[in-house]
Amino acid sequence: MALMKRCDMPGCNKLAPQGLRHCPAHAMGKTEENRRRHKEYDAHCRNKEAKAFYNSAGWKAARAKALARDAGIDVYLYVRERRAVPADTVHHIVELKEDYSKRMEMENLISVSEAMHSMISAAYKDEVKKAVDRLQ
């Protein structure tokens, strides 16, 4: 029998298989909700050039190469805290919108976890906002 854990949906006491976040009832609803949200974001907000790049075979190969180079661990956390956390995202150190020509350079790619990528992106946005505020 598979190991089970509680569903991550607030207020749900159902069990979900270990390794999955939600029970079957919430996994489907969450997926459909995400699909709808992404479709709307794609139509109105997303950078079309960036989306085409992230769907390209070239990016998928570069991403796989970067993850393999970094042994599939979050390099940022490993260097900062000496913790080996699995990486599932590849981050551009110099963002696409800053310098599109560096999008495939291995020196510009770093393997990180999704949580760390969110933290890096938030910190970057805060720094950009502070820089803009200082200019005004």
Side-chain angles (χ1 to χ4, degrees), residues 25-45:
H26 290 112
M28 290 304 290
K30 196 81 166 163
T31 303
E32 187 58 39
E33 178 185 327
N34 284 345
R35 200 173 291 127
R36 181 191 53 75
R37 191 169 45 85
H38 283 285
K39 184 177 180 180
E40 186 168 318
Y41 185 80
D42 285 346
H44 302 290
C45 302

Side-chain angles (χ1 to χ4, degrees), residues 17-129:
Q18 189 73 30
L20 297 179
R21 295 188 60 201
H22 301 283
C23 68
H26 290 112
M28 290 304 290
K30 196 81 166 163
T31 303
E32 187 58 39
E33 178 185 327
N34 284 345
R35 200 173 291 127
R36 181 191 53 75
R37 191 169 45 85
H38 283 285
K39 184 177 180 180
E40 186 168 318
Y41 185 80
D42 285 346
H44 302 290
C45 302
R46 192 177 307 274
N47 179 325
K48 307 286 190 258
E49 183 181 34
K51 180 165 176 46
F53 166 69
Y54 284 122
N55 288 331
S56 73
W59 167 246
K60 291 174 183 175
R63 180 185 182 282
K65 189 175 177 181
L67 285 168
R69 176 199 64 199
D70 297 335
I73 64 167
D74 183 323
V75 174
Y76 186 84
L77 276 176
Y78 185 75
V79 169
R80 295 280 312 252
E81 300 176 11
R82 293 289 183 221
R83 289 193 304 143
V85 173
D88 53 7
T89 304
V90 175
H91 174 68
H92 285 92
I93 297 167
V94 177
E95 291 190 0
L96 290 181
K97 59 186 168 192
E98 288 180 28
D99 189 350
Y100 192 75
S101 68
K102 292 186 176 187
R103 69 191 180 281
M104 301 284 274
E105 292 180 7
M106 283 292 129
E107 299 80 28
N108 189 44
L109 303 176
I110 182 172
S111 301
V112 294
S113 65
E114 187 175 336
M116 184 52 60
H117 189 257
S118 295
M119 289 174 58
I120 291 169
S121 296
Y124 178 79
K125 287 176 184 170
D126 286 346
E127 286 302 313
V128 168
K129 185 179 181 310

